[in-house]
């Protein structure tokens, strides 16, 4: 939905490097010629890529590539661009991929993922890889390819919206061992393990600053708990660590209780649960008061939820964003305005409005 994407942009950390964006499949800018139709598999690469882009490949260090998977020309050009980039990949430092629009049913993205494998095997100086907006299932083979080909990696985000998580904890351990400079990591919860937390706390590692965990797959609901003492050790070695948690409806209440540990330095919390939401909000108010900077809540309005939000506002003075996608009573809005002096954006509606709900930006 529109309000969901808007809130996600507000809550998520920005890109670690500024990257030029290439849009494939979009309407051409006035005065420019549209890309040539991709009608022949035998045509030269320069004819497949947008005009002028093939000549620039040697100069691309950071690339944000957005394409439309349902449009064959856009998709094919994206695949060809990645394949061409792989042959000149030693200069590549940052890569971000995003699908725009709906992907075809049963589309596993083998063409795009295959090209991505090729890039990761050749981009030995790659620092940043962001696949959060790629809707395909990422598996162990890609993670191991990154581990073997990208030892200089600083950030890796695999916490996408795929319905299945196929990255095993053992592959993540291999990645962490191979990439000692990694400072930011985004994964599904089922891919993490106690051993990974302990490895991140090793004295030889670079300062670790961000761990984003998405809990949206059946595998995440069955994941082994990450013990509180392991989190405490990790934050001791990395006092600047911020954790982002996204909890989706697939999680039963008992799984939520296992995930929310007091020692986790949660900075961003998104609650979109099918069960109890009041309990997690109260838990956040009592245990994450020092670290919480952004909260997103999707739940039905209730007196109990309003009271829990007011308690959170009173305790979390450092909060900068609050987005609640249900109608709240006026005292909730008053509480956040009164107790959160650093608040810069909020979605707190006192009556129903047409969608999408837009946040209010503080001056």
């Amino acid at each position: 939905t529109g309000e969901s994407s808007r809130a996600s942009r507000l809550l998520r950390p920005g890109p670690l490097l500024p990257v030029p964006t290439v849009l494939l499949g979009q309407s051409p800018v006035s005065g420019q010629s549209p890309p040539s139709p991709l009608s022949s598999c035998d045509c030269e690469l320069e004819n497949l890529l947008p005009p002028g882009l093939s000549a620039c490949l040697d100069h691309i260090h950071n690339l944000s590539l957005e394409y439309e998977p349902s449009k064959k020309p856009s998709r094919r050009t994206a695949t060809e661009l990645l394949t061409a980039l792989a042959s000149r990949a030693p200069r590549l430092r940052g890569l971000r991929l995003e699908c725009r629009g709906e992907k075809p049913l049963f589309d596993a993205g083998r063409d795009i993922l295959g090209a991505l494998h090729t890039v990761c095997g050749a981009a030995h100086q790659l620092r940043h890889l962001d696949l959060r907006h790629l809707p395909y299932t990422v598996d162990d083979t890609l993670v191991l390819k990154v581990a073997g080909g990208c030892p200089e990696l600083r950030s890796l985000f695999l916490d996408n919206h795929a319905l299945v998580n196929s990255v095993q904890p053992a592959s993540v351990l291999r990645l962490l061992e191979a990439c000692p400079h990694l400072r930011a990591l985004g994964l599904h919860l089922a891919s993490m393990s106690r051993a990974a937390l302990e490895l991140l706390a090793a004295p030889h590692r670079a300062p670790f600053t961000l761990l984003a965990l998405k809990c949206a797959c059946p595998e995440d609901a069955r994941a082994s708990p990450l013990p509180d003492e392991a989190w405490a050790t990790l934050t001791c070695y990395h006092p600047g660590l911020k954790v982002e948690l996204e909890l989706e409806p697939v999680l039963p209440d008992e799984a939520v209780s296992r995930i929310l540990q007091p020692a986790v330095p949660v900075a961003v919390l998104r609650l979109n649960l099918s069960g109890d939401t009041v309990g997690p909000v109260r838990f956040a108010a009592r245990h994450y008061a020092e670290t919480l900077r952004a909260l997103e809540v999707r739940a039905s309005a209730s007196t109990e939820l309003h009271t829990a939000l007011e308690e959170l506002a009173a305790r979390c003075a450092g909060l900068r964003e609050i987005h609640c996608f249900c109608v709240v009573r006026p005292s909730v809005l008053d509480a956040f305005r009164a107790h959160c002096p650093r608040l810069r954006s909020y979605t707190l509606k006192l009556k129903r409005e047409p969608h999408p709900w837009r946040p209010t930006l503080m001056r």
Side-chain angles (χ1 to χ4, degrees):
T1 60
E3 69 271 18
S4 174
S5 61
R6 173 62 175 165
S8 296
R9 288 194 296 271
L10 288 168
L11 289 168
R12 282 197 178 277
L16 298 179
L17 281 181
V19 293
T21 298
V22 177
L23 300 177
L24 301 178
Q26 305 300 307
S27 300
V29 178
S30 177
Q32 293 182 353
S33 300
S36 302
L38 306 178
S39 56
S40 172
C41 293
D42 298 324
C43 54
E44 294 296 326
L45 176 62
E46 284 74 12
N47 293 328
L48 288 171
L49 298 179
L53 183 57
S54 60
C56 300
L57 292 182
D58 287 332
H59 306 286
I60 292 178
H61 288 184
N62 304 290
L63 175 66
S64 178
L65 177 61
E66 301 177 8
Y67 76 100
E68 299 186 58
S70 62
K71 296 184 178 181
K72 291 183 180 180
S74 174
R75 185 182 190 121
R76 187 175 175 186
T77 305
T79 304
E80 294 292 345
L81 173 58
L82 290 173
T83 302
L85 195 61
S87 65
R88 313 177 196 186
R91 295 180 177 84
L92 192 64
R93 298 294 186 271
L95 178 61
R96 173 185 174 273
L97 300 181
E98 178 174 353
C99 285
R100 303 188 67 163
E102 295 295 326
K103 72 180 182 70
L105 193 63
F106 306 121
D107 173 20
R110 290 188 179 91
D111 49 353
I112 294 293
L113 292 176
L116 181 60
H117 275 247
T118 304
V119 172
C120 292
H124 303 305
Q125 296 300 314
L126 191 70
R127 263 54 167 187
H128 308 284
L129 180 59
D130 186 349
L131 306 180
R132 284 177 289 191
H133 301 287
L134 206 62
Y136 307 123
T137 298
V138 175
D139 59 16
D140 293 325
T141 59
L142 178 60
V143 175
L144 296 177
K145 179 69 73 172
V146 172
C150 311
E152 299 299 324
L153 204 66
R154 266 60 170 180
S155 70
L156 174 64
F157 292 102
L158 304 177
D159 48 326
N160 62 9
H161 294 281
L163 299 178
V164 176
N165 175 57
S166 295
V167 176
Q168 300 302 313
S171 298
V172 175
L173 284 176
R174 290 274 300 275
L175 174 77
L176 295 178
E177 291 168 352
C179 304
H181 306 294
L182 195 69
R183 299 178 179 180
L185 180 62
L187 295 169
H188 280 264
L189 177 68
S191 301
M192 280 300 293
S193 62
R194 177 172 187 161
L197 294 182
E198 292 172 348
L199 183 55
L200 285 172
H204 69 277
R205 296 198 66 88
F208 196 67
T209 59
L210 175 64
L211 179 60
L213 295 176
K214 190 177 183 67
C215 311
C217 299
E219 296 85 359
D220 297 326
R222 299 189 296 266
S224 300
L226 302 174
D228 201 47
E229 57 269 22
W231 284 111
T233 301
L234 181 60
T235 54
C236 180
Y237 278 97
H238 302 289
L241 174 64
K242 294 178 174 58
V243 172
E244 175 182 328
L245 286 179
E246 185 168 350
L247 310 184
E248 294 288 337
V250 69
L251 297 176
D253 290 347
E254 58 270 20
V256 175
S257 299
R258 292 197 307 268
I259 295 167
L260 295 178
Q261 298 290 327
V264 184
V266 176
V268 177
L269 180 60
R270 299 185 188 88
L271 299 174
N272 182 21
L273 301 170
S274 58
D276 175 42
T277 299
V278 174
V281 171
R282 286 178 173 159
F283 188 94
R286 294 167 187 172
H287 296 285
Y288 305 147
E290 297 298 320
T291 60
L292 193 64
R293 298 295 177 262
L295 174 67
E296 179 180 315
V297 176
R298 296 178 179 277
S300 299
S302 69
T303 300
E304 292 78 13
L305 178 61
H306 294 163
T307 301
L309 288 171
E310 290 168 5
E311 178 186 350
L312 184 137
R315 291 173 178 261
C316 301
L319 199 71
R320 296 177 182 177
E321 300 184 33
I322 169 68
H323 304 282
C324 186
F325 293 98
C326 67
V327 175
V328 299
R329 65 192 183 194
S331 58
V332 173
L333 177 56
D334 294 340
F336 283 102
R337 284 176 166 173
H339 299 297
C340 304
R342 298 179 183 175
L343 197 65
R344 67 185 187 191
S345 173
Y346 64 84
T347 306
L348 297 167
K349 304 298 183 181
L350 304 184
K351 61 181 180 180
R352 290 194 177 276
E353 297 181 4
H355 290 288
W357 286 8
R358 302 294 184 184
T360 298
L361 304 179
M362 303 286 287
R363 295 182 178 179

